[in-house]
Amino acid sequence: MKITYLGHASFLLETKAGTRIVTDPYAQDILPHPVVKAQVVTASHEHFDHCDYSQVKGDYVIVNSTKATTFLDVKITCAPCWHDEVQGKKRGPNRAYIFEAEGLKIVHLGDLGEAPTPALVDACGGADVLFIPVGGFYTLSGPQAAEAVKALQPKLVVPMHYRCPGHSFEVIATEEPFLKALDPAVPVHRLDALEAPFPAGVAVLTPAQG
């Protein structure tokens, strides 16, 4: 499997069988990014910066519910959770998606805004790759995300939903508070993309250029 970061909370997952999945597509004015082709598009919730389907090419299936599905070689399940710490009273529901293919478990936490519940740990714990929001304000903050990582125990963590050069969301933080809150012994890799076998630790991916 290959993983490319499209920026914000959007990734392109490509399996060896050729299945292409895009998560949480968003508009160009948030952060310029390439418009790529996919067969499946997932949306963790219905906020505008996570479900702009016009940013994806192709005849694709939209996955935006809690119903489990299998598309070709990828099984997709959902763990319902909340966008805030008060069970959605501020920002509504959120869906964490679990992708299983090639013997790997890939978890996308969407705009998680609460500490992981036992149910979320059961569903999303022990992932090979965990995409976690770290920018705060709308989601977990960097230190909160570091605590969530301790609970979820993934092999590799990929931060998302943080401010990077060119990002228009000035209220969210960069990835640095998250990295500073981690155990110093955790290795941090700065990469352009990921391809299995994945390293352990944390991978800060460079957003693809639009």
Side-chain angles (χ1 to χ4, degrees):
M1 181 178 291
K2 181 179 180 181
I3 297 172
T4 304
Y5 187 33
L6 301 176
H8 204 47
S10 190
F11 294 85
L12 170 64
L13 312 180
E14 300 174 85
T15 71
K16 291 179 181 178
T19 303
R20 295 166 62 90
I21 300 171
V22 168
T23 68
D24 287 32
Y26 66 96
Q28 297 286 338
D29 60 355
I30 296 171
L31 179 69
H33 60 88
V35 177
V36 299
K37 188 175 182 179
Q39 294 139 314
V40 180
V41 180
T42 63
S44 61
H45 60 293
E46 278 56 59
H47 289 172
F48 74 96
D49 54 323
H50 293 263
C51 60
D52 188 343
Y53 303 116
S54 69
Q55 298 300 310
V56 186
K57 297 177 182 178
D59 183 15
Y60 49 79
V61 174
I62 295 173
V63 176
N64 59 357
S65 75
T66 59
K67 184 179 179 181
T69 185
T70 297
F71 187 88
L72 298 176
D73 57 328
V74 183
K75 179 182 178 182
I76 305 174
T77 53
C78 177
C81 45
W82 297 108
H83 199 321
D84 54 55
E85 74 284 4
V86 286
Q87 296 188 318
K89 291 182 176 65
K90 292 180 182 177
R91 297 188 176 92
N94 182 64
R95 296 179 292 269
Y97 282 112
I98 302 103
F99 306 92
E100 295 176 88
E102 300 174 12
L104 298 168
K105 179 180 179 180
I106 314 294
V107 173
H108 187 289
L109 291 178
D111 267 11
L112 182 67
E114 62 174 350
T117 62
L120 193 68
V121 172
D122 285 345
C124 299
D128 293 282
V129 181
L130 176 71
F131 303 131
I132 186 168
V134 304
F137 196 85
Y138 303 111
T139 69
L140 296 176
S141 68
Q144 289 170 333
E147 287 299 312
V149 167
K150 292 179 184 178
L152 292 167
Q153 292 291 301
K155 295 177 182 175
L156 177 66
V157 180
V158 178
M160 64 176 181
H161 210 281
Y162 58 85
R163 192 178 76 250
C164 59
H167 203 298
S168 65
F169 282 19
E170 296 183 0
V171 294
I172 63 176
T174 69
E175 77 278 19
E176 293 303 326
F178 169 68
L179 298 179
K180 289 178 181 177
L182 294 171
D183 184 330
V186 175
V188 176
H189 314 274
R190 292 187 180 271
L191 304 169
D192 291 332
L194 283 169
E195 196 155 1
F198 303 126
V202 176
V204 179
L205 299 183
T206 303
Q209 297 296 308

